[in-house]
Amino acid sequence: MTDGDQLLLFDMDGVILEGHGTDPAVHDDALDEAIAEAGLSVDDDTRSLLAGYEYDTEFVRGCERLGIDPVAFYRRRERHSASHTIDRLAAGDRTLYPDSDALDGFADDYTLGLISNNYDAVVEFVVDHYDLDGFAYARGREPGVGGFYRRKPNPHYLLAGREALGGTDGVYVGDRATDVMAARRAGLDAIFIRRPHNGDVSLPVEPRATIDSLTALGEYL
């Protein structure tokens, strides 16, 4: 492969977009909207089973109490979560890290991709809102149970991105242990970036390099 075919892939939250991830309040608000949309009457104990981000046994048990399909209801709630996340980003709740400007310097020599556990609609919004034209590929996960279980460290979305871009060799830059693990499972090298939210994180898998800023990335490619 030529240098121009080398893949340089990035996680979004905590790498390009400021902050560790979506505020949990987003999912709380989304749950309330999903409940109202479905016309449900939910007591506090049952709502506590449905609260939170995870599709887990408690969420399923809460849905069973209400006599509703947990898979369909989880997808309904996730669609609202994606919508609320986009509204917050549009309002300036989070913005790009200042060092994200460094990405422009890699576009000539690498094929850039953005692959996130965040919702696909959110990734699309971030790319459009911030004019991130350098990414040849940008993908988040679909809302619902299928997307939930394909989150990193599952390499599903990294493998899909690698195939779509026609590359075999490459690097994935992330801020979580799950990013490093997913990269390894997808046959990619991992570079771990330390931000204020993950300065003390220990990694079970050794990345190719650890950096403190995207401006230092070129030293390890």
Side-chain angles (χ1 to χ4, degrees):
M1 296 174 66
T2 65
D3 284 345
D5 294 325
Q6 293 281 340
L7 303 182
L8 181 53
L9 309 177
F10 297 85
D11 182 29
M12 186 176 75
D13 296 281
V15 176
I16 306 298
L17 188 65
E18 285 185 335
H20 184 57
T22 301
D23 190 325
V26 166
H27 302 304
D28 285 338
D29 292 342
L31 175 59
D32 289 336
E33 287 200 17
I35 289 170
E37 186 178 69
L40 298 170
S41 178
V42 182
D43 60 76
D44 290 342
D45 185 50
T46 302
R47 191 192 184 286
S48 70
L49 295 174
L50 301 172
Y53 174 70
E54 305 286 323
Y55 182 82
D56 53 18
T57 55
E58 287 196 347
F59 185 89
V60 172
R61 188 151 58 93
C63 289
E64 289 174 345
R65 283 190 181 186
L66 298 170
I68 59 176
D69 179 0
V71 172
F73 188 70
Y74 188 75
R75 180 175 175 81
R76 183 194 294 264
R77 197 222 66 190
E78 291 229 291
R79 288 199 302 265
H80 285 296
S81 287
S83 179
H84 277 289
T85 300
I86 290 170
D87 288 343
R88 285 189 169 213
L89 289 170
D93 183 58
R94 299 166 66 194
T95 188
L96 300 186
Y97 283 104
D99 61 0
S100 63
D101 289 345
L103 299 182
D104 295 335
F106 299 112
D108 290 338
D109 297 319
Y110 299 90
T111 300
L112 304 186
L114 185 66
I115 301 176
S116 173
N117 274 351
N118 212 322
Y119 305 111
D120 194 50
V122 175
V123 173
E124 182 179 353
F125 174 82
V126 168
V127 169
D128 290 343
H129 187 67
Y130 291 106
D131 298 319
L132 299 177
D133 300 328
F135 289 115
Y137 180 89
R139 177 73 193 273
R141 72 173 183 86
E142 66 269 22
V145 176
F148 177 80
Y149 283 118
R150 293 185 181 118
R151 297 173 307 152
K152 296 166 291 182
N154 187 322
H156 175 84
Y157 291 111
L158 286 176
L159 289 170
R162 198 180 73 175
E163 181 177 356
L165 293 169
T168 56
D169 298 330
V171 171
Y172 186 59
V173 183
D175 68 315
R176 306 188 191 207
T178 52
D179 295 324
V180 177
M181 295 166 64
R184 291 284 293 273
R185 292 172 182 177
L188 301 168
D189 285 333
I191 292 181
F192 186 75
I193 186 167
R194 291 202 181 274
R195 300 293 197 184
H197 63 266
N198 68 353
D200 298 326
V201 169
S202 60
L203 300 174
V205 180
E206 190 70 20
R208 176 196 283 190
T210 298
I211 58 176
D212 293 320
S213 172
L214 292 175
T215 59
L217 181 58
E219 300 174 31
Y220 302 97
L221 297 177

